[in-house]
Amino acid sequence: MKVSALVIGAGVIGSSVAYHLARLGMSDVRVIDPDLGGALSSSELNAGGVRATFGQAINVEMSKLSIEFFAAHRDDTGYRDVGYLWLKTPEMMTASKNATELHRRLGWPVETWDVAELRKRVPFIDKTDDLAGAVFAPKDGLVNPNLVKNFYRNEARKLGVVFDDRTVLRGIEEVSPTEVDVQCVRIGVLSHEDKVRLYSGEDVITAGEVHYRAGVVINCAGAWAGEVARALQYDSPAFPLRRQISVFDCRDVDLTHYGMIVDTSGVYFHPEATNGLAGFAVKEEKPQVNFAYDGEAFFTEYIWPALYERASGFERLRHLTGWAGLYDVSPDESAIIGQATQGRRQKFLPVYEAHSFSGHGVMHCQAAGIALAELIVNGKYTTLDAGPLSAERFTTGELLHEGAVI
């Protein structure tokens, strides 16, 4: 079947890219995914935070553009401007000065609080001996990632985009300098266990082949972007990394009035209905596809001790549930966006990519979709210059080491 563009991966990034391609006038856009429901998608298994409080200008600008879009479509995205609050030790406060100046220079409001102001604004944080204060970004906030993804899909479908479920990439063959044959297989309805096997690289029973004759192929495969890159015959430094999230009963603290709070320990938390939701990046985590949630053991080792040391009201917490999802990560923890040129044949093949958002895919999805669609359709970036996010930076050494990663 002949298509103008084939997007691989129907998560929030792939859905955004497809929508913006169609919005710019490209017809015959198709998106393939092994599981449109996204049971194991990073778009679904995340905390829902959106922020522009990054250390690299391009990441601030990506988030700023996206959050402004979420705010303009609150009902469609579930955006709530409840803020991000970063607790700071004296050393951390000094180190964050340049980033705070960067945020203000780029038009993103941030406030610096001393300890007295922190305790006035957030009275349940009453263990503050190690703190110099906090940085608060009032326009950062929370969204519903499922709503965001489905907004893009619904709008894309109105413009003629087709989403093919249970379709798995197998390989690519050059037909001409401007067209490729993309070989895929269809798979049957999968159980949850089958999906875990599939996403872990194991074979599942297939239900026939399908070929797409595509003018453009776009790798938006998230945590599986490195594997997809190999199938598309180019090299990518992307890798998957497990992140775990716990939901807990915080009976003595009402979190519903607050947004995301990032402790000095690296534990982050926010309200989840009447409960609390918290996560933490374990530094010893090895790159791999791993959906196992370590349960109460994870909560009691990493989450609860940090919260106990921050608030008297957190001394009695009860673990309820949780889950594990995957970050798609790059070596400098910033996204990879642009034309894929890393392989020995890629200068001849029309392959593009948008992945490795390192936990920031939802908060960058609008900007990523606009930028890559403009590059593909118009041949250049217009709204936002995503050039610094090209994978070529890993060969030139112009890395974007993002320090503000949680």
Side-chain angles (χ1 to χ4, degrees):
M1 117 187 17
K2 192 174 179 65
V3 298
S4 297
L6 184 69
V7 180
I8 300 171
V12 70
I13 297 297
S15 298
S16 173
V17 169
Y19 162 66
H20 286 290
L21 285 172
R23 188 181 62 85
L24 290 180
M26 181 174 279
S27 59
D28 298 319
V29 176
R30 214 163 188 105
V31 185
I32 64 171
D33 198 281
D35 176 28
L36 278 183
L40 299 176
S41 167
S42 302
S43 300
E44 300 290 340
L45 302 174
N46 65 78
V50 291
R51 61 182 171 94
T53 39
F54 285 93
Q56 294 288 339
I58 183 61
N59 290 330
V60 177
E61 291 170 343
M62 293 278 288
S63 279
K64 184 172 180 283
L65 179 60
S66 298
I67 294 173
E68 288 169 349
F69 169 79
F70 300 147
H73 297 83
R74 289 174 185 265
D75 292 342
D76 296 311
T77 64
Y79 170 70
R80 294 184 289 134
D81 49 347
V82 286
Y84 259 63
L85 180 67
W86 301 75
L87 306 183
K88 301 287 186 179
T89 64
E91 295 78 14
M92 293 169 73
M93 187 69 85
T94 300
S96 69
K97 182 179 178 182
N98 288 341
T100 300
E101 292 174 351
L102 171 67
H103 303 149
R104 291 170 176 158
R105 186 169 70 251
L106 294 176
W108 198 249
V110 291
E111 303 170 9
T112 302
W113 300 349
D114 60 18
V115 172
E117 185 68 14
L118 170 64
R119 298 190 67 148
K120 176 183 175 182
R121 300 276 200 106
V122 192
F124 77 84
I125 295 180
D126 57 3
K127 298 182 180 181
T128 57
D129 287 350
D130 64 323
L131 298 181
V135 173
F136 180 64
K139 290 180 68 176
D140 289 350
L142 302 171
V143 297
N144 182 320
N146 182 266
L147 286 180
V148 174
K149 180 183 72 177
N150 284 317
F151 172 79
Y152 287 127
R153 287 186 183 178
N154 292 337
E155 294 302 307
R157 287 187 173 110
K158 293 175 186 177
L159 296 172
V161 175
V162 176
F163 290 79
D164 287 345
D165 196 8
R166 300 198 297 273
T167 305
V168 180
L169 173 72
R170 282 292 185 255
I172 189 173
E173 183 177 339
E174 183 178 354
V175 176
S176 75
T178 59
E179 197 172 58
V180 292
D181 178 62
V182 184
Q183 301 116 32
C184 301
V185 292
R186 303 283 197 204
I187 56 178
V189 176
L190 302 179
S191 66
H192 180 78
E193 291 73 19
D194 288 334
K195 291 175 183 177
V196 172
R197 288 176 52 239
L198 173 66
Y199 283 123
S200 298
E202 299 180 37
D203 284 333
V204 296
I205 297 174
T206 62
E209 294 186 358
V210 59
H211 289 249
Y212 298 90
R213 186 69 64 90
V216 172
V217 180
I218 307 155
N219 181 357
C220 297
W224 297 273
E227 180 181 339
V228 166
R230 287 188 290 275
L232 296 178
Q233 302 178 7
Y234 76 94
D235 305 318
S236 174
F239 59 91
L241 199 62
R242 179 179 69 158
R243 288 288 183 261
Q244 300 185 71
I245 289 175
S246 297
V247 178
F248 57 93
D249 179 348
C250 48
R251 66 198 77 180
D252 297 326
V253 178
D254 181 6
L255 291 175
T256 57
H257 303 293
Y258 305 100
M260 185 77 80
I261 300 176
V262 185
D263 186 54
T264 57
S265 63
V267 170
Y268 57 88
F269 60 97
H270 69 67
E272 182 74 1
T274 59
N275 298 309
L277 178 152
F280 178 73
V282 178
K283 297 187 184 305
E284 295 77 19
E285 193 73 43
K286 295 180 180 179
Q288 60 179 321
V289 173
N290 182 1
F291 293 104
Y293 175 54
D294 293 337
E296 191 163 357
F298 170 76
F299 178 76
T300 56
E301 181 174 357
Y302 296 106
I303 304 297
W304 182 73
L307 299 185
Y308 180 97
E309 294 296 335
R310 189 54 64 208
S312 299
F314 283 156
E315 292 176 1
R316 293 195 314 141
L317 298 179
R318 183 166 64 92
H319 174 262
L320 296 175
T321 187
W323 62 85
L326 299 176
Y327 275 13
D328 51 315
V329 184
S330 75
D332 61 3
E333 296 183 290
S334 293
I336 297 175
I337 299 175
Q339 187 165 15
T341 59
Q342 306 94 294
R344 60 184 177 85
R345 298 178 64 202
Q346 278 314 298
K347 60 184 177 181
F348 303 111
L349 296 181
V351 177
Y352 293 79
E353 56 188 341
H355 56 77
S356 300
F357 287 82
S358 305
H360 314 130
V362 172
M363 61 187 80
H364 288 173
C365 63
Q366 173 70 2
I370 290 174
L372 192 57
E374 288 179 344
L375 180 63
I376 293 169
V377 175
N378 301 326
K380 62 180 180 179
Y381 296 118
T382 304
T383 303
L384 177 106
D385 181 6
L389 296 173
S390 167
E392 291 184 358
R393 70 185 188 268
F394 298 110
T395 57
T396 64
E398 300 175 87
L399 301 184
L400 296 168
H401 292 296
E402 179 52 68
V405 175
I406 57 175

